[in-house]
Amino acid sequence: MTSDPRMQVGTFYVVATPIGNLADLTERAKQVLTSVDVIACEDTRHTAKLLQHLGLRKPLLSVHEHNERERVEQIARHLEQGQSMALVSDAGTPLISDPGYPLVQALRARGLNVSPIPGVSAIITALSAAGLPTDRFTFEGFLPHKSGAKREKLLAQEQEARTLVYYESKHRILDTLEVMAEVFGAERQACVARELTKTFETFYHGTLPDILSQLQEDADQQKGEFVVMIAGNPDPAPASEVDSNKLFRLLLVELPPKKAAAIIADLTGENKKELYQKALEMQGKA
């Protein structure tokens, strides 16, 4: 088999690896992993299993979110000395909710060659079979762990017209779906993908409360890794109204409902009594 003509000594390859099914590794990725001198990886034990599957033995260099800035000099030196390297994450495409951004940014700033080797990404894999609009979407990664911060983040996205995509873990999937149902409403359509490309791959479709109920009924369905996709707001409010609501929420953190309503009434000309009632309702959902 001929090698990729663009492969060259001293290149840092960003290599996508399978998210579950090892057969999803591309031929080009195999060629690169076979050819490079060193493989930088998130977890050396995890990557060792992949290499064992491929029948490869390679020097491994641990690169994760806690040490990647410190690794820049070492990796740059390897490349400058003519060695080629590959970067892999535990699964999927590196840098997508995985370590690597500071490293790649630093290598490019030094004028070193960084080349992507495309392959599986959980985002695209999930969207392709979700049955939700895919012409426009926004990826938000992992939400904050605490419910309050999570709700605040989701409130800022409630008016988004594009399909929303999130990653979530088994430890927080139920809490996240509960908060999403509160923020986005009981009628918003969604899809949750679990254990993509693996033996127990499952897609849950319907409204957020429907999907939450399905997961609550079976503890086994709460295990694994999740991609949560939510249809965009079909009728987003005008920007001025959105800004008003955001300001209202901020004021209610510091002021009583009556005072917050009075300030908004002065700014917008809206009815003070109606705003006061709205403030009570918003405060009740906080």
Side-chain angles (χ1 to χ4, degrees):
M1 183 175 295
T2 58
S3 62
D4 187 323
R6 287 174 292 181
M7 283 186 62
Q8 52 186 295
V9 173
T11 296
F12 188 76
Y13 295 97
V14 182
V15 183
T17 56
I19 57 176
N21 192 321
L22 292 177
D24 290 335
L25 187 71
T26 69
E27 278 300 317
R28 187 168 175 226
K30 292 177 186 177
Q31 291 175 7
V32 169
L33 293 177
T34 300
S35 302
V36 296
D37 299 292
V38 182
I39 297 176
C41 55
E42 190 175 358
D43 186 326
T44 56
R45 294 165 300 179
H46 188 94
T47 300
K49 293 178 182 178
L50 174 63
L51 296 182
Q52 183 179 17
H53 171 77
L54 297 174
L56 298 176
R57 293 178 66 88
K58 292 283 178 178
L60 300 178
L61 179 67
S62 174
V63 177
H64 47 73
E65 62 178 331
H66 302 297
N67 75 351
E68 61 178 308
R69 296 178 192 276
E70 301 165 9
R71 292 293 197 195
V72 170
E73 292 296 333
Q74 183 179 1
I75 290 172
R77 190 162 55 249
H78 276 293
L79 298 173
E80 290 164 352
Q81 291 173 351
Q83 291 187 309
S84 59
M85 296 187 67
L87 173 68
V88 299
S89 63
D90 285 350
T93 301
L95 279 76
I96 309 302
S97 276
D98 276 324
Y101 163 65
L103 174 58
V104 169
Q105 182 188 44
L107 295 179
R108 283 210 172 277
R110 289 170 178 246
L112 295 167
N113 190 31
V114 179
S115 179
I117 308 299
V120 179
S121 170
I123 307 164
I124 304 303
T125 302
L127 280 169
S128 69
L132 295 174
T134 55
D135 55 331
R136 297 173 66 240
F137 65 89
T138 176
F139 174 59
E140 299 294 335
F142 286 95
L143 289 163
H145 293 181
K146 294 184 178 180
S147 295
K150 185 179 299 181
R151 182 176 286 103
E152 182 179 346
K153 179 86 171 179
L154 291 172
L155 280 168
Q157 299 161 356
E158 194 273 332
Q159 296 295 322
E160 175 59 64
R162 296 170 293 180
T163 297
L164 292 151
V165 185
Y166 307 88
Y167 284 162
E168 194 50 278
S169 72
K170 61 184 179 181
H171 306 292
R172 293 181 291 274
I173 185 63
L174 295 183
D175 177 71
T176 291
L177 289 174
E178 287 177 0
V179 177
M180 285 177 166
E182 294 173 14
V183 173
F184 294 120
E187 301 304 317
R188 189 76 73 92
Q189 291 295 306
C191 176
V192 173
R194 169 181 169 268
E195 292 292 82
L196 286 168
T197 78
K198 299 177 184 177
T199 303
F200 298 104
E201 174 183 280
T202 313
F203 282 80
Y204 308 89
H205 301 267
T207 63
L208 287 163
D210 288 340
I211 295 172
L212 175 60
S213 178
Q214 291 177 61
L215 292 177
Q216 287 173 329
E217 289 173 1
D218 186 352
D220 287 337
Q221 302 306 306
Q222 300 166 26
K223 299 175 182 178
E225 298 172 334
F226 297 84
V227 181
V228 181
M229 297 157 284
I230 301 174
N233 193 323
D235 187 26
S240 59
E241 184 176 331
V242 175
D243 292 342
S244 175
N245 285 338
K246 183 176 181 180
L247 178 58
F248 222 151
R249 287 193 297 272
L250 293 172
L251 289 174
L252 286 171
V253 174
E254 304 292 340
L255 301 173
K258 188 174 182 180
K259 182 64 175 177
I263 292 173
I264 296 296
D266 288 340
L267 290 171
T268 65
E270 296 178 64
N271 184 279
K272 190 182 298 185
K273 289 184 178 179
E274 293 178 359
L275 286 169
Y276 175 63
Q277 186 59 42
K278 180 178 179 180
L280 294 176
E281 294 172 359
M282 292 177 73
Q283 197 173 55
K285 294 179 180 178

